[in-house]
Coordinates of all heavy atoms in Angstrom, one line a residue:
A315 N 7.7 -19.4 15.9 CA 9.0 -18.8 16.1 C 9.0 -17.4 16.6 O 9.7 -17.0 17.5 CB 9.8 -18.9 14.8
V316 N 8.0 -16.6 16.1 CA 7.9 -15.2 16.5 C 7.5 -15.2 18.0 O 8.1 -14.4 18.8 CB 6.9 -14.5 15.6 CG1 6.5 -13.2 16.3 CG2 7.5 -14.2 14.3
A317 N 6.6 -16.0 18.4 CA 6.2 -16.1 19.8 C 7.3 -16.4 20.7 O 7.6 -15.8 21.8 CB 5.0 -17.0 20.0
D318 N 8.1 -17.4 20.3 CA 9.3 -17.8 21.0 C 10.3 -16.7 21.1 O 10.9 -16.4 22.2 CB 10.0 -19.1 20.4 CG 9.2 -20.3 20.6 OD1 8.3 -20.3 21.4 OD2 9.5 -21.3 19.9
M319 N 10.5 -16.0 20.0 CA 11.4 -14.8 20.0 C 11.0 -13.8 21.0 O 11.7 -13.2 21.8 CB 11.5 -14.2 18.6 CG 12.4 -14.9 17.6 SD 12.4 -13.8 16.2 CE 12.2 -15.1 14.9
L320 N 9.7 -13.4 20.9 CA 9.2 -12.3 21.7 C 9.2 -12.7 23.2 O 9.5 -11.8 24.0 CB 7.7 -12.0 21.3 CG 7.6 -11.4 19.8 CD1 6.2 -11.0 19.6 CD2 8.6 -10.3 19.6
E321 N 8.9 -13.9 23.5 CA 9.0 -14.3 24.9 C 10.4 -14.2 25.5 O 10.5 -13.8 26.7 CB 8.4 -15.7 25.1 CG 6.9 -15.7 25.2 CD 6.2 -17.0 25.1 OE1 6.9 -18.1 25.1 OE2 4.9 -17.0 25.0
F322 N 11.4 -14.5 24.7 CA 12.7 -14.3 25.1 C 13.1 -12.8 25.2 O 13.6 -12.3 26.3 CB 13.7 -15.0 24.2 CG 15.1 -14.9 24.7 CD1 15.7 -15.8 25.5 CD2 15.9 -13.7 24.4 CE1 17.0 -15.7 26.1 CE2 17.2 -13.6 25.0 CZ 17.7 -14.6 25.8
F323 N 12.7 -12.1 24.2 CA 13.1 -10.7 24.0 C 12.5 -9.7 25.1 O 13.1 -8.8 25.6 CB 12.7 -10.3 22.6 CG 12.8 -8.8 22.2 CD1 14.0 -8.2 22.1 CD2 11.7 -8.1 21.9 CE1 14.1 -6.9 21.7 CE2 11.8 -6.8 21.5 CZ 13.0 -6.2 21.4
E324 N 11.2 -10.0 25.4 CA 10.5 -9.1 26.3 C 10.9 -9.2 27.7 O 10.6 -8.3 28.5 CB 9.0 -9.3 26.1 CG 8.5 -10.6 26.7 CD 7.1 -11.1 26.1 OE1 6.6 -10.5 25.2 OE2 6.6 -12.0 26.7
R325 N 11.5 -10.3 28.1 CA 11.7 -10.5 29.6 C 12.6 -9.4 30.2 O 12.4 -9.0 31.3 CB 12.3 -11.9 29.8 CG 13.8 -12.0 29.8 CD 14.4 -13.2 29.3 NE 15.9 -13.1 29.3 CZ 16.6 -12.3 28.5 NH1 16.0 -11.5 27.6 NH2 17.9 -12.3 28.6
F326 N 13.6 -8.9 29.4 CA 14.5 -7.9 29.9 C 13.8 -6.6 30.2 O 13.9 -6.0 31.3 CB 15.6 -7.7 28.9 CG 16.7 -6.7 29.3 CD1 17.7 -7.0 30.1 CD2 16.5 -5.3 28.9 CE1 18.7 -6.1 30.5 CE2 17.5 -4.4 29.3 CZ 18.6 -4.8 30.1
D327 N 13.0 -6.2 29.2 CA 12.2 -4.9 29.4 C 11.1 -5.0 30.4 O 10.7 -4.1 31.0 CB 11.7 -4.4 28.0 CG 12.9 -3.8 27.2 OD1 13.8 -3.3 27.8 OD2 12.8 -3.9 25.9
E328 N 10.5 -6.2 30.4 CA 9.4 -6.4 31.4 C 9.9 -6.1 32.8 O 9.3 -5.5 33.6 CB 8.8 -7.8 31.3 CG 7.8 -8.0 30.2 CD 7.3 -9.4 30.1 OE1 8.0 -10.4 30.5 OE2 6.1 -9.5 29.7
Q329 N 11.1 -6.7 33.0 CA 11.7 -6.5 34.4 C 12.1 -5.1 34.6 O 11.9 -4.5 35.7 CB 13.0 -7.4 34.4 CG 13.0 -8.2 35.6 CD 14.2 -9.2 35.6 OE1 15.1 -9.0 34.8 NE2 14.2 -10.2 36.4
K330 N 12.6 -4.5 33.6 CA 13.1 -3.1 33.7 C 12.0 -2.1 33.9 O 12.0 -1.2 34.7 CB 13.9 -2.8 32.4 CG 14.5 -1.4 32.3 CD 15.4 -1.5 31.1 CE 15.8 -0.2 30.5 NZ 16.3 -0.3 29.1
Y331 N 10.9 -2.2 33.1 CA 9.8 -1.3 33.1 C 8.6 -1.7 33.9 O 7.7 -0.9 34.1 CB 9.4 -0.9 31.7 CG 10.5 -0.4 30.7 CD1 10.9 -1.1 29.6 CD2 11.1 0.8 31.0 CE1 11.8 -0.7 28.8 CE2 12.2 1.2 30.2 CZ 12.5 0.5 29.1 OH 13.5 1.0 28.2
G332 N 8.6 -3.0 34.3 CA 7.4 -3.5 35.0 C 6.1 -3.5 34.2 O 5.0 -3.3 34.7
T333 N 6.3 -3.8 32.9 CA 5.1 -3.8 32.0 C 4.8 -5.3 31.6 O 5.6 -6.2 31.8 CB 5.5 -3.1 30.7 OG1 6.8 -3.5 30.2 CG2 5.5 -1.6 30.9
D334 N 3.6 -5.4 31.0 CA 3.2 -6.7 30.4 C 3.7 -6.7 29.0 O 3.1 -6.0 28.1 CB 1.6 -6.8 30.5 CG 1.1 -8.1 29.7 OD1 2.0 -8.9 29.4 OD2 -0.1 -8.1 29.4
G335 N 4.8 -7.3 28.7 CA 5.4 -7.3 27.4 C 6.5 -6.2 27.3 O 6.6 -5.3 28.2
G336 N 7.3 -6.3 26.2 CA 8.3 -5.3 26.0 C 8.0 -4.6 24.7 O 7.1 -5.0 23.9
P337 N 8.6 -3.4 24.4 CA 8.4 -2.7 23.2 C 8.9 -3.4 22.0 O 10.0 -3.8 21.9 CB 9.1 -1.3 23.5 CG 9.9 -1.5 24.7 CD 9.6 -2.8 25.3
L338 N 8.1 -3.4 21.0 CA 8.4 -4.1 19.7 C 8.9 -2.9 18.7 O 8.1 -2.5 17.9 CB 7.3 -4.9 19.1 CG 7.6 -5.8 18.0 CD1 8.7 -6.8 18.4 CD2 6.3 -6.6 17.6
H339 N 10.1 -2.5 18.8 CA 10.6 -1.3 18.2 C 10.6 -1.4 16.6 O 9.9 -0.6 16.0 CB 12.0 -1.0 18.6 CG 12.3 -1.0 20.0 ND1 12.0 0.1 20.8 CD2 12.8 -1.9 20.9 CE1 12.3 -0.2 22.1 NE2 12.8 -1.4 22.1
D340 N 11.4 -2.3 16.1 CA 11.8 -2.2 14.6 C 10.6 -2.4 13.7 O 10.6 -1.7 12.6 CB 12.9 -3.1 14.3 CG 14.2 -2.7 15.0 OD1 14.3 -1.6 15.3 OD2 15.1 -3.6 15.1
P341 N 9.6 -3.2 14.0 CA 8.5 -3.4 13.0 C 7.7 -2.1 12.8 O 7.0 -2.0 11.8 CB 7.6 -4.5 13.6 CG 8.6 -5.3 14.5 CD 9.5 -4.2 15.1
C342 N 7.9 -1.1 13.7 CA 7.2 0.1 13.4 C 7.6 0.8 12.1 O 6.8 1.4 11.4 CB 7.5 1.1 14.6 SG 6.7 0.6 16.2
V343 N 8.9 0.6 11.7 CA 9.4 1.2 10.5 C 8.6 0.6 9.3 O 8.2 1.4 8.4 CB 10.9 0.8 10.4 CG1 11.4 1.1 9.0 CG2 11.7 1.6 11.4
I344 N 8.5 -0.7 9.2 CA 7.8 -1.3 8.1 C 6.3 -1.0 8.2 O 5.6 -0.8 7.1 CB 8.1 -2.8 8.1 CG1 9.6 -3.1 8.1 CG2 7.4 -3.5 6.8 CD1 10.4 -2.7 6.9
A345 N 5.7 -1.1 9.4 CA 4.3 -0.8 9.5 C 3.9 0.6 9.0 O 2.9 0.8 8.4 CB 3.9 -1.0 11.0
W346 N 4.9 1.5 9.2 CA 4.6 2.9 8.8 C 4.5 3.0 7.2 O 3.7 3.7 6.7 CB 5.7 3.9 9.3 CG 5.4 5.3 8.8 CD1 4.5 6.2 9.3 CD2 6.0 5.9 7.7 NE1 4.5 7.3 8.6 CE2 5.4 7.2 7.6 CE3 6.9 5.6 6.7 CZ2 5.7 8.2 6.6 CZ3 7.3 6.5 5.7 CH2 6.7 7.8 5.7
L347 N 5.3 2.2 6.6 CA 5.2 2.1 5.1 C 3.9 1.6 4.6 O 3.4 2.0 3.6 CB 6.4 1.2 4.5 CG 7.8 1.8 4.6 CD1 8.7 0.7 4.0 CD2 7.9 3.1 3.8
L348 N 3.4 0.6 5.4 CA 2.2 -0.1 5.0 C 0.9 0.7 5.4 O 0.0 0.8 4.6 CB 2.1 -1.5 5.7 CG 3.2 -2.4 5.2 CD1 3.2 -3.6 6.2 CD2 3.0 -2.9 3.8
K349 N 1.0 1.3 6.6 CA -0.2 2.0 7.1 C 0.2 3.2 7.9 O 0.2 3.2 9.1 CB -1.0 1.1 8.1 CG -1.9 0.1 7.4 CD -2.9 -0.5 8.4 CE -4.1 -1.0 7.8 NZ -5.2 -1.3 8.7
P350 N 0.6 4.3 7.2 CA 1.1 5.5 7.9 C 0.1 6.1 8.9 O 0.4 6.7 9.9 CB 1.5 6.5 6.8 CG 0.8 5.9 5.6 CD 0.6 4.4 5.8
E351 N -1.2 5.8 8.6 CA -2.3 6.3 9.5 C -2.2 5.8 10.9 O -2.9 6.3 11.8 CB -3.6 6.1 8.8 CG -4.1 4.7 8.7 CD -3.6 4.0 7.4 OE1 -2.6 4.5 6.8 OE2 -4.2 3.0 7.0
L352 N -1.4 4.7 11.1 CA -1.3 4.2 12.5 C -0.4 5.1 13.4 O -0.3 4.9 14.6 CB -0.6 2.8 12.5 CG -1.4 1.6 11.8 CD1 -0.6 0.4 11.8 CD2 -2.7 1.4 12.6
F353 N 0.3 6.0 12.8 CA 1.3 6.8 13.5 C 0.9 8.3 13.5 O 0.3 8.8 12.5 CB 2.7 6.6 12.9 CG 3.1 5.2 13.0 CD1 2.8 4.3 12.0 CD2 3.8 4.7 14.1 CE1 3.1 2.9 12.0 CE2 4.2 3.4 14.1 CZ 3.9 2.5 13.1
E354 N 1.4 9.0 14.5 CA 1.2 10.5 14.6 C 2.6 11.1 15.0 O 3.2 10.6 15.9 CB 0.2 10.8 15.7 CG -1.1 11.2 15.1 CD -2.1 11.5 16.2 OE1 -1.8 12.3 17.1 OE2 -3.2 10.8 16.2
G355 N 2.9 12.1 14.2 CA 4.2 12.8 14.5 C 4.2 14.2 14.1 O 3.1 14.8 13.7
R356 N 5.4 14.8 14.0 CA 5.5 16.2 13.7 C 6.9 16.4 13.0 O 7.8 15.7 13.3 CB 5.5 17.0 15.0 CG 5.1 18.4 14.9 CD 5.3 19.1 16.2 NE 4.1 19.1 17.0 CZ 4.0 19.9 18.1 NH1 5.0 20.6 18.6 NH2 2.8 19.8 18.8
N357 N 6.9 17.3 12.1 CA 8.1 17.6 11.4 C 9.0 18.6 12.2 O 8.5 19.7 12.4 CB 7.7 18.3 10.0 CG 8.8 18.2 9.0 OD1 9.2 19.2 8.4 ND2 9.5 17.1 8.9
I358 N 10.1 18.1 12.6 CA 10.9 18.9 13.6 C 12.4 18.8 13.2 O 12.8 18.0 12.4 CB 10.7 18.5 15.0 CG1 11.1 17.0 15.2 CG2 9.3 18.7 15.5 CD1 11.3 16.6 16.7
N359 N 13.2 19.5 14.0 CA 14.7 19.3 13.9 C 15.1 18.3 15.0 O 14.7 18.4 16.1 CB 15.5 20.6 14.1 CG 17.0 20.3 14.2 OD1 17.6 20.1 15.2 ND2 17.6 20.3 13.0
V360 N 15.9 17.4 14.6 CA 16.6 16.5 15.5 C 18.1 16.5 15.3 O 18.6 16.4 14.1 CB 16.1 15.0 15.3 CG1 16.8 14.1 16.3 CG2 14.6 14.9 15.6
T361 N 18.8 16.7 16.4 CA 20.3 16.8 16.3 C 20.8 15.8 17.3 O 20.3 15.7 18.4 CB 20.8 18.3 16.6 OG1 20.1 19.1 15.7 CG2 22.3 18.4 16.5
V362 N 22.0 15.2 17.0 CA 22.5 14.2 17.9 C 23.7 14.7 18.6 O 24.6 15.4 18.0 CB 22.7 12.9 17.1 CG1 23.8 13.0 16.0 CG2 23.2 11.7 18.1
E363 N 23.9 14.3 19.8 CA 25.0 14.7 20.6 C 26.2 13.7 20.3 O 26.1 12.5 20.4 CB 24.7 14.5 22.1 CG 25.8 14.8 23.1 CD 26.4 16.2 23.0 OE1 25.7 17.1 23.4 OE2 27.5 16.3 22.6
T364 N 27.3 14.3 19.9 CA 28.5 13.5 19.6 C 29.7 13.9 20.4 O 30.8 13.4 20.2 CB 28.9 13.6 18.1 OG1 29.1 15.0 17.8 CG2 27.9 13.0 17.2

Side-chain angles (χ1 to χ4, degrees):
V316 165
D318 287 347
M319 276 187 228
L320 297 185
E321 275 166 10
F322 184 91
F323 171 67
E324 68 199 11
R325 88 215 180 291
F326 182 85
D327 284 333
E328 280 181 327
Q329 229 175 16
K330 182 168 158 196
Y331 302 118
T333 45
D334 173 14
L338 193 55
H339 309 281
D340 292 340
C342 292
V343 166
I344 307 295
W346 181 79
L347 288 178
L348 297 167
K349 277 195 158 194
E351 63 274 20
L352 293 175
F353 299 88
E354 256 177 54
R356 205 185 265 189
N357 199 228
I358 62 166
N359 175 268
V360 177
T361 304
V362 61
E363 175 63 66
T364 55

